[in-house]
Structure formats: structure tokens, C-alpha cells
Amino acid sequence: MAKSVSFFMVISFIAFAPICFCSKANYYGYLYPQFYDWSCPQAKEIVKSVVAKAVAREARMAASLLRLHFHDCFVKGCDASLLLDSSGTLISEKISNTNRNSVRGFEVIDEIKSALEKECPQTVSCADILALAARDSTVLAGGPSWEVPLGRRDSRDASLSGSNHNIPAPNNTFNTILTKFKLKGLDLVDLVALSGSHTIGNARCTSFRQRLYNQSGNSLPDYTLDQSYAAQLRTRCPKSGGDQNLFVMDFVSPTKFDNYYFKNLLASRGLFNSDQVLVTKNQASLELVKLYAENNEIFFEQFAKSMVKMGNISPLTGYRGEIRKNCRMMNS
């Protein structure tokens, strides 16, 4: 009898106990858009407001913030490891070959975090800030919107090696790029759609110089690059020097998120080797490029799906990781 009473008391307690919509940790182990609805209802609006001001100051910032999310997720999951500065034994991913003198927008993330800490201290993770900022940047540039699943937590470490080897590089072969995507659970469709983010933003001369002068180690330019476009690029990207000279990724509509990136590829005017190989090295990717070049709506729809999928790469949930007070350093 005592056991029965105890059982019914437990059932009664469960039935009438108030539900706690807590988000200090993602106890469910999965991400969902309403994660901060009770703990920090203004979170999404705060992120959107700061991003809007930053992009209004400098249109290029939309691409920079979108790129931060990519370069974070591809290392060891979407855990804000990219945002950590070097300290003690920790070596920052910011100094990797793919990030050094290239990734930017950290001050905007700092501004967002500062505003969120005032509104709801130690509640919104830096990893979720990156995911929201990427979406808001895309929308501000004229691209698609999507519901961002939330509930990521922040890592307590970084991986310089992962940053050097996991992130697709501008001079990678098609097979290398596809392998890097597949290792993160992304497929060929995701690869082509997400490459479409190169419709906005700038690139440095050093990231595509080899295509202009020595593509195959034979001192000859890349034959898959439109020669009039190549000649135009060579005027500001010499054989030596000018490494940091900037070039728009999409010369038709450089600050507008649209499908001109794919149209440019079909005209042999992709800036990176990693762009043009989508047309020259694989029939399935070529067909996707043609589809997205013809239909902006289909591109937008797939880009949104692929961004959600990428944002789900190995997130820290539950009691793993932490909610950083400052995105540049671990909590003491």
C-alpha cells in the first residue's frame, strides 16, 4: 500500500507541476526556433537590429557575417569556436590559413552579445548569435529567410588544425570540396546551393591569383576562366604584390543576394577555382547550376534548407559547452 500511495503522489506531482520553459541548457538535445521565447523573448529582434545597423554602415558586412557562420560550423560544428581569441594554451582559429587576414565581423558579434547580456544575461549563446546573424544578413541583402533552429551552446576550445583542413578552400578540387561537405553530413545539393552565398561579398587577390597566371603549375592561366574577365582581374591582381586587393565575388550585382552567381559560372566568370569547378568537373552539379541560374525561387528555397542543415552540424546541447558572457573568451 505504501508503494501505491507513493506512486500516486508522484503521478499527481507530475500532472500538476508547473512547466518550466527554461533555456539555460538545451535539455532536449535538439534545436528549435522557439528556444528563447520565454527566457529572452527579444533575442531575435536584438540580433536583427544590430545586424541591420552594421549592414547599413557597410553593405559588405552581410557577406562577412554569413561567412563567419560557415567557417565556424565546418571546423567542429556550430559552436562559436571561431570567435575565441588565443589565450593560454588555446590557439585561435582566427589565425588559420583560411581565416587569417580574411574573416571579419567580430566587432558586430561583440555588439550583439553586449546588447543581449544587458537584456538577458548568460542566456543566448554566441553560436546562436552567429546562426541568427547569418540569416538576417542574407535577408538584408535581398535573399531568402528561414526559421533558425536555436539552442546551441558555446565550445570551451578551438581547433586550429580543423580550421586549416576542414573548411573548403578557393583552390580545392571539386572532389576535395565535396568530400569536406560530405564529412559534415552535407551533400552535392547543399554544396551547390551554399556556394551561391558567393553572390555577395569580396575576395582577396591572393585567393584566386593562381587562376590568372599558373593554374596547373605550367605558368599558364586557367583555360576555364573567361579571358576578357581574366584580363580585367589581372589589372589589379598582379603576379606578385597586391595580395589584399579586394574584388567583388559577383561583378553583376555584388551586394544583392540573387542567382547571378550561377549565371556568372555558366559564362565562365566564377572568381574562385572552387566556384568554376561546379560547372566544369561534375555533370550533376552543372545541372544544379543551370537550374538555379534559371530559377531564383528554387535557389532561394534550397539555400534556406541547406543553411538550416548546415546550422545543425554537431551543435553542443544539454550540459555540454557553456553560454559565454564574452564571445571572445571562455567563462572564468
Side-chain angles (χ1 to χ4, degrees):
M1 176 64 78
K3 285 183 181 178
S4 297
V5 171
S6 175
F7 172 79
F8 285 115
M9 285 176 65
V10 170
I11 292 297
S12 175
F13 173 78
I14 293 173
F16 296 105
I19 298 172
C20 177
F21 294 103
C22 306
S23 69
K24 286 294 181 184
N26 188 347
Y27 299 108
Y28 303 104
Y30 60 88
L31 310 179
Y32 54 101
Q34 301 79 22
F35 188 73
Y36 297 111
D37 282 6
W38 291 273
S39 61
C40 192
Q42 295 302 311
K44 295 174 189 175
E45 283 303 315
I46 289 171
V47 175
K48 183 192 288 187
S49 173
V50 177
V51 170
K53 289 174 187 172
V55 173
R57 288 193 299 265
E58 181 190 14
R60 180 189 172 199
M61 188 54 69
S64 299
L65 293 173
L66 179 55
R67 188 164 178 249
L68 281 180
H69 188 39
F70 275 81
H71 281 223
D72 179 49
C73 291
F74 264 84
V75 176
K76 54 190 193 67
C78 308
D79 60 2
S81 60
L82 172 58
L83 302 181
L84 289 168
D85 288 338
S86 295
S87 64
T89 58
L90 186 145
I91 303 174
S92 177
E93 293 169 18
K94 296 174 184 178
I95 64 171
S96 71
N97 296 330
T98 49
N99 291 331
R100 187 172 57 250
N101 300 321
S102 175
V103 288
R104 59 198 297 276
F106 299 110
E107 296 79 7
V108 178
I109 301 301
D110 292 340
E111 189 178 344
I112 295 169
K113 184 59 174 172
S114 177
L116 285 169
E117 285 300 302
K118 288 177 184 173
E119 178 72 18
C120 32
Q122 259 187 293
T123 302
V124 182
S125 69
C126 301
D128 279 344
I129 291 172
L130 286 176
L132 287 167
R135 189 272 311 274
D136 294 340
S137 294
T138 301
V139 172
L140 285 164
S145 185
W146 59 91
E147 273 204 311
V148 180
L150 300 165
R152 300 167 190 80
R153 288 167 63 84
D154 302 322
S155 68
R156 293 192 180 100
D157 60 356
S159 175
L160 180 62
S161 173
S163 188
N164 276 324
H165 296 106
N166 298 355
I167 300 172
N171 60 351
N172 280 164
T173 65
F174 176 84
N175 287 334
T176 297
I177 298 165
L178 184 57
T179 296
K180 288 181 177 181
F181 269 72
K182 285 183 174 179
L183 286 171
K184 296 300 176 184
L186 303 173
D187 59 24
L188 177 68
V189 176
D190 301 312
L191 164 57
V192 179
L194 293 174
S195 294
S197 63
H198 285 174
T199 184
I200 55 174
N202 295 353
R204 298 174 299 151
C205 165
T206 186
S207 61
F208 61 87
R209 175 185 280 121
Q210 90 285 344
R211 295 193 72 204
L212 304 179
Y213 303 101
N214 190 29
Q215 174 70 358
S216 303
N218 56 4
S219 298
L220 293 175
D222 186 352
Y223 71 92
T224 69
L225 181 62
D226 176 80
Q227 292 308 297
S228 62
Y229 183 44
Q232 184 182 338
L233 294 171
R234 280 193 288 267
T235 61
R236 291 186 51 245
C237 188
K239 276 188 179 181
S240 62
D243 285 5
Q244 304 303 317
N245 290 352
L246 294 175
F247 296 76
V248 293
M249 296 290 291
D250 170 2
F251 65 93
V252 178
S253 53
T255 60
K256 183 173 172 54
F257 197 102
D258 55 27
N259 65 342
Y260 262 103
Y261 165 80
F262 299 105
K263 295 177 182 180
N264 292 339
L265 292 188
L266 294 175
S268 299
R269 293 190 167 200
L271 191 58
F272 289 162
N273 184 73
S274 58
D275 295 319
Q276 202 60 49
V277 292
L278 299 181
V279 165
T280 62
K281 297 298 183 182
N282 184 276
Q283 187 62 36
S285 66
L286 169 59
E287 294 306 317
L288 285 168
V289 169
K290 288 178 179 177
L291 175 64
Y292 299 152
E294 291 168 7
N295 194 314
N296 194 61
E297 188 176 337
I298 292 176
F299 163 49
F300 275 21
E301 185 179 332
Q302 184 56 53
F303 184 83
K305 289 178 182 175
S306 294
M307 284 296 292
V308 171
K309 193 172 172 183
M310 187 191 75
N312 275 305
I313 298 174
S314 306
L316 297 175
T317 59
Y319 293 100
R320 297 184 301 155
E322 63 183 12
I323 306 297
R324 289 186 215 140
K325 298 175 185 176
N326 180 333
C327 290
R328 292 176 182 262
M329 63 185 71
M330 293 174 284
N331 296 338
S332 55

